[in-house]
Amino acid sequence: MKMDALSHQGKRTDLTSDQVGLKLSAEQVSNDDSATQVKRYIRLTNLIKPLLDMVDEGKIAFTPAVELSFLNDTEQADLVEVIEVCEATPNLSQAQRLKKISQGDGLIPEDIAEILNEQKANQKERIKIPTEKLRKYFPKRYTAADMEKEIFAMLEKRYKEKQQGAR
């Protein structure tokens, strides 16, 4: 909305509306946002429509989208295709690498696919067990780290017993 206001200020030239005051800069409009943040929003206007739609839908986060806005239109179109094929969107680290490659030798679809196909830390399979559920099996003085150490020791013992029984 702020960017829209910036781009439309002073457009009317009919006799019924005088321009009141000076045109505002990004810094002046950004009373609740930092000027840098306003500039980032403006930067998103360099995204092609399909990528901008993904940002609006929450499929691509804001900060990675800003990095992607530095890719040229062809690279962005390639990115959209790879996103559809891989069913993965870039995180900030991946977007920064895509930008760096683009600014260097140029970005090709194979580069994009290789980066997007990497397993992200937040996509790794994990098991989470609340400490409260484990507490009754351990002495009160045990910390979470103590419990984890003990659990892995029991699992290792069980694994070795199974290996010996299989022989």
Side-chain angles (χ1 to χ4, degrees), residues 5-166:
L6 270 175
S7 65
H8 289 93
Q9 61 184 333
K11 294 276 179 156
R12 290 195 59 187
T13 56
D14 62 8
L15 296 175
T16 61
S17 71
D18 291 341
Q19 181 164 343
V20 180
L22 300 172
K23 285 191 174 189
L24 301 173
S25 67
E27 287 82 4
Q28 293 164 320
V29 169
S30 63
N31 56 6
D32 6 10
D33 296 326
S34 71
T36 303
Q37 191 71 351
V38 171
K39 289 176 185 175
R40 287 183 183 131
Y41 278 107
I42 293 169
R43 183 76 212 164
L44 292 183
T45 62
N46 293 304
L47 289 174
I48 62 173
K49 183 164 176 23
L51 284 177
L52 192 55
D53 290 344
M54 288 182 203
V55 175
D56 290 341
E57 295 164 5
K59 293 178 182 174
I60 298 178
F62 177 76
T63 308
V66 172
E67 296 296 319
L68 298 174
S69 72
F70 288 91
L71 306 181
N72 67 42
D73 288 355
T74 303
E75 293 168 336
Q76 289 185 36
D78 290 342
L79 175 61
V80 170
E81 288 182 28
V82 174
I83 285 173
E84 290 170 0
V85 170
C86 294
E87 297 180 352
T89 58
N91 63 19
L92 178 58
S93 169
Q94 291 170 322
Q96 289 169 333
R97 291 193 339 240
L98 292 169
K99 175 184 170 185
K100 185 175 181 179
I101 294 169
S102 171
Q103 292 174 337
D105 296 335
L107 193 58
I108 59 173
E110 290 78 13
D111 296 330
I112 298 168
E114 183 178 326
I115 290 172
L116 289 189
N117 281 321
E118 298 169 347
Q119 188 176 37
K120 299 173 189 152
N122 65 349
Q123 294 173 330
K124 292 181 181 173
E125 197 172 20
R126 294 179 169 260
I127 297 174
K128 294 182 181 180
I129 304 172
T131 307
E132 304 79 50
K133 285 188 174 184
L134 298 173
R135 190 64 60 202
K136 70 180 180 179
Y137 302 106
F138 296 94
K140 290 184 180 186
R141 61 180 165 70
Y142 269 45
T143 65
D146 294 333
M147 289 187 272
E148 182 180 331
K149 184 178 176 182
E150 184 83 18
I151 290 168
F152 279 107
M154 289 186 281
L155 289 171
E156 186 64 33
K157 180 181 175 189
R158 182 173 182 266
Y159 176 77
K160 287 180 181 177
E161 289 171 355
K162 279 190 147 197
Q163 293 293 348
Q164 290 175 351

